[in-house]
Amino acid sequence: MDVPKKIRDSSAIASWSGFIYQGKVALYHCIHLLNDESYRPCNLKVESLDDFVIYSQEDKALSLHQVKARVDSKRSAYNSAVQQAAEIAAYGIDKNTKRWFHVARELDDFSPFNPTNTTQNKVEFYRYNDGNQYLQLDQVNAKLEKVTSDYLAKAKLNSSPLLIQYKLALLYTLLDTKVISAHSKIHNEGEIKFNAANKTPILFTEIEECLKSEVLDDTDERMVLNRFKRNLLERTDLLIESNETSSQISLIDILACRNAIAHMDLSKLKRLYYAKKPNIASVTVEGFSHDSVENYMDIIALIRKLVVASDLPHYHQQIFGTYLPTAIQLKKINEKLSLSEIQNNVEALRENSIIQDILYEYNNLIVEMKHPPFPLSEASKITGKFIDVSEDDEDKNRLTKIHNVRFISTEDAQGELND
């Protein structure tokens, strides 16, 4: 495709909050198109010719969209961006391609940009289903819920607040994984930004599959695990947004963890769910909270060199082996007073077939505590003998491995790993 160098090399992400807003606006527009049978869209491409582009089955650009999440309310502040949108020219774009401009604030002038020469095209400010030509950042979620509700009503599908949140969580994850895949092509394979985005379309059939997905109720494990994933990703987004310019935390590792979680299938997500706080009895909505997610992400933010290539995000150090971040809290100042909490978590690890191998695969569990690092063998002298998970297992070294598992605070782990 013949694309101007300025577009090929540009990045649509000005800030993390802008990136999140841009993606949600793209999803809103896609669902809006599905509600309007006069359109036959095929796929969505994010960060290609513009912030996002809708293509037909014939690879024609149906619409180009530029999204600005600025605080400016003066039309003049957007003039250069509007003019750039008016001048985009490439294969697949013709006189029928609509050019839309999205803003997050009410402007003093919403009149269309009309071309002044043959290299420019008309650009209009997008109009939402409530008649407004702007969409505030704090209203984008409500807008998405409404357009999703409209789709479900039109398609005669079951609808409830629970189902809408479940379907939107699937859509957010779909968008995440495609954008992350494009960024991987840039960083790992040396692709230029436009080509990476162009090779990673989001099909409208995939969007419809998410919208038509069903769950039974709030005890449905798929629903709970997807909500757990969204909880992790959304709290991570807030952490990134509030620390974009900070040098005190490891944004690279936070993003690596976020990307790994976004790609997790349900089986691996379930393993992470239990590993984060092992003494949870079952997969339920009540089994995770903002606090436990933030305890987990605090570790990721403070300790560098996260390993995400396989299994759960973890760390490795030659002398002390592997370290698994958790949301376990041993709050007692006196180490012995925390032993009942240790017992509960270790017993839960032993009895849960999904994550019992954590005691064998990881040398250190990173927890929130004030104590110096100590191995489980010290705790077991008081709490009683920890027997092996499988009594039939002939490998007697596994019991020794359990006893050698260390509990270590974030601060001590940071010292060992960041040296």
Side-chain angles (χ1 to χ4, degrees), residues 268-285:
K268 189 173 287 188
L269 199 60
K270 190 172 182 178
R271 189 165 161 81
L272 177 65
Y273 176 94
Y274 281 118
K276 190 167 65 66
K277 208 164 185 179
N279 62 354
I280 295 172
S282 61
V283 177
T284 65
V285 173

Side-chain angles (χ1 to χ4, degrees), residues 109-136:
D109 179 10
F110 279 114
S111 59
F113 172 86
N114 290 303
T116 58
N117 57 58
T118 56
T119 66
Q120 296 178 329
N121 298 268
K122 185 177 182 178
V123 179
E124 297 179 68
F125 285 89
Y126 192 86
R127 189 178 297 277
Y128 294 88
N129 58 7
D130 59 1
N132 286 332
Q133 291 182 274
Y134 65 97
L135 177 55
Q136 293 174 257

Side-chain angles (χ1 to χ4, degrees), residues 5 27 52 101 163 170 239 292 296 310 335 355 362 368:
K5 186 176 186 301
L27 288 176
F52 68 92
F101 203 89
L163 276 170
L170 293 178
L239 182 62
S292 66
Y296 178 78
S310 61
E335 179 182 311
I355 55 167
Y362 296 95
E368 182 184 335

Side-chain angles (χ1 to χ4, degrees), residues 275-305:
K276 190 167 65 66
K277 208 164 185 179
N279 62 354
I280 295 172
S282 61
V283 177
T284 65
V285 173
E286 293 74 25
F288 58 91
S289 65
H290 291 336
D291 288 343
S292 66
V293 168
E294 285 167 358
N295 291 340
Y296 178 78
M297 291 310 305
D298 280 349
I299 295 172
I300 308 298
L302 291 171
I303 303 177
R304 301 179 188 279
K305 301 177 183 176

